[in-house]
Amino acid sequence: MKIAIVCYPTFGGSGVVATELGIELSHRGHEIHFITYRQPVRLSTLNPLVHYHEVVVPEYPLFHYQPYELALSSKMVDTVKQYGIELVHVHYAIPHAYAGYMAQQMLKAEGIFVPMVTTLHGTDITLVGNHPHYKTAVSFSINHSDVVTSVSQSLKEDTYKLFPVEKEIHVIPNFIELKEVPQTGAFACARSNLAPSGTFIVTHISNFRQVKRIPDVVDVFYDIQKQVPARLLMVGDGPERVKAEERCHELGIANKVLFLGNSSEIDTILRFSDLFLLPSETESFGLAALEAMAWSVPVISSNTGGLPEVNEHGVSGFLSSVGDVHQMAEYAISLLKNPEMLQRFRKGAREVAARYEIQRILPQYEAVYQLALNQQKSLQAIDS
């Protein structure tokens, strides 16, 4: 199958999911065409079945904001026609599904019918999409997609609650690739670069937006380090980073916290980690938590959104109410002080993550692709 994937090329969850999905689909023989404004972070185009098409937005003094949706829909049309694309998979309702619908209409005018699958990731629904200025466009885009998926049951329910959506939404969770890495002396040596021997490594990875409750990460760690020797790794970047750095200085723990910025070495960092913190205000899924669990790292998280679907309380980690930093710290300390308990939770984290292994999830996407193609054929038969 020839599939076009439209996504954001960023470090964030949806971009990573879309990229990994496309790569794995190519391994199953599908021809994948990524359409976006920059090559996705984790994408290598050395694979002959993977192609990247850049969306170029010309700058004109007339436009205060450059019309990305217009350039994107035009690029989608050109790519479909040039490469014989059979299906378009867009990640995010806006602007991607909106641009996808416009592309479909332009193609239909030339007698070309290509179905569109839209995957909802969270921000397009709960934050940006729910803004009054966008709500109508988001509802329209979802209802005019051929097939719609969401990354969690929680996000599906939020979509129906927030928008007048009539389409059936298929829940297909995010996924992970489980990797085996031998624990060698070199591993211990490399780990010592981040923390002295006998010191626990606590990690947080995000885009440092307000919704991630970055100050809570620092406050939880503050309680942890009072009870056990520990270092905090803060991975990522964003508007809350400066506040977090200032908070570390206020609490006198700046020498125990490393701000690593955006990193392409996430796997290595998680291999070194003993515990992962994710106290978010809301998470549609919690991909960062799943990535940690895949490396046998227990997760202390809030119990909001899709997180309870991913982080199994008492097995892969612990769940607390949003903002309850003291309970989160208590859970963390209880794990780090008890080696047998920590080892049990490490094993549990890995076992829960295995449920989301990519080879288990991939067939679900292939099934909705086939559903979209079959629906398109039925509509064409009716029209003819």
Side-chain angles (χ1 to χ4, degrees), residues 21-224:
L21 174 62
I23 292 170
E24 289 300 322
L25 286 168
S26 74
H27 294 162
R28 293 168 75 99
H30 300 287
E31 184 177 311
I32 307 300
H33 295 257
F34 285 93
I35 305 175
T36 185
Y37 58 83
R38 188 175 64 241
Q39 184 167 323
V41 172
R42 299 193 185 183
L43 179 64
S44 170
T45 55
L46 295 178
N47 185 333
L49 289 177
V50 174
H51 308 270
Y52 161 61
H53 308 281
E54 182 180 4
V55 179
V56 178
V57 184
E59 293 190 11
Y60 294 108
L62 173 65
F63 298 119
H64 184 66
Y65 298 105
Q66 303 307 317
Y68 178 66
E69 292 86 348
L70 178 61
L72 175 58
S73 58
S74 296
K75 190 66 175 182
M76 292 167 72
V77 169
D78 293 342
T79 304
V80 168
K81 292 166 64 175
Q82 184 174 353
Y83 295 94
I85 301 298
E86 300 168 76
L87 179 140
V88 174
H89 186 178
V90 301
H91 294 258
Y92 264 48
I94 54 170
H96 299 153
Y98 190 78
Y101 174 79
M102 295 307 300
Q104 282 183 310
Q105 299 312 302
M106 287 187 274
L107 289 165
K108 283 180 182 179
E110 299 184 39
I112 301 172
F113 300 89
V114 178
M116 178 173 67
V117 173
T118 296
T119 292
L120 310 176
H121 284 272
T123 302
D124 50 343
I125 298 300
T126 58
L127 294 177
V128 178
N130 195 38
H131 192 284
H133 292 169
Y134 299 116
K135 200 163 187 175
T136 301
V138 172
S139 302
F140 180 90
S141 300
I142 295 173
N143 284 323
H144 286 80
S145 299
D146 295 281
V147 176
V148 181
T149 75
S150 72
V151 297
S152 68
Q153 180 66 29
S154 172
L155 181 58
K156 174 180 177 177
E157 293 169 1
D158 284 344
T159 303
Y160 283 133
K161 181 169 59 179
L162 295 171
F163 300 92
V165 169
E166 302 163 2
K167 298 288 295 188
E168 178 183 1
I169 299 176
H170 305 261
V171 177
I172 302 180
N174 287 331
F175 46 80
I176 198 71
E177 181 182 357
L178 293 180
K179 301 173 184 177
E180 296 290 347
V181 177
Q183 303 294 303
T184 64
F187 171 87
C189 181
R191 189 184 190 279
S192 67
N193 291 328
L194 295 173
S197 178
T199 301
F200 293 106
I201 292 180
V202 180
T203 300
H204 171 79
I205 302 173
S206 76
N207 52 22
F208 284 55
R209 289 184 294 126
Q210 191 172 5
V211 71
K212 302 298 181 180
R213 296 185 70 92
I214 302 301
D216 284 6
V217 176
V218 176
D219 289 347
V220 171
F221 176 74
Y222 177 69
D223 284 353
I224 293 173

Side-chain angles (χ1 to χ4, degrees), residues 343-371:
Q343 191 57 36
R344 186 170 72 250
F345 272 72
R346 279 188 172 279
K347 182 180 179 183
R350 177 80 173 186
E351 289 175 350
V352 173
R355 302 172 192 168
Y356 299 90
E357 211 283 325
I358 190 167
Q359 297 308 323
R360 295 188 177 191
I361 306 301
L362 210 59
Q364 298 179 48
Y365 274 112
E366 290 179 312
V368 298
Y369 291 166
Q370 195 58 55
L371 174 63

Side-chain angles (χ1 to χ4, degrees), residues 253-329:
I253 57 173
N255 63 327
K256 296 182 179 181
V257 182
L258 291 177
F259 286 84
L260 301 179
N262 288 323
S263 174
S264 59
E265 299 181 280
I266 298 300
D267 287 346
T268 302
I269 292 168
L270 290 174
R271 283 173 55 208
F272 293 156
S273 301
D274 298 296
L275 200 64
F276 190 84
L277 300 180
L278 194 63
S280 305
E281 187 80 29
T282 183
E283 289 281 350
S284 59
F285 180 82
L287 182 61
L290 180 59
E291 290 182 326
M293 289 158 54
W295 287 104
S296 302
V297 182
V299 174
I300 306 296
S301 74
S302 49
N303 59 3
T304 183
L307 280 170
E309 299 175 42
V310 180
N311 183 19
E312 187 173 339
H313 186 77
V315 178
S316 62
F318 290 108
L319 299 162
S320 297
S321 298
V322 174
D324 194 344
V325 296
H326 295 302
Q327 186 182 67
M328 292 180 188

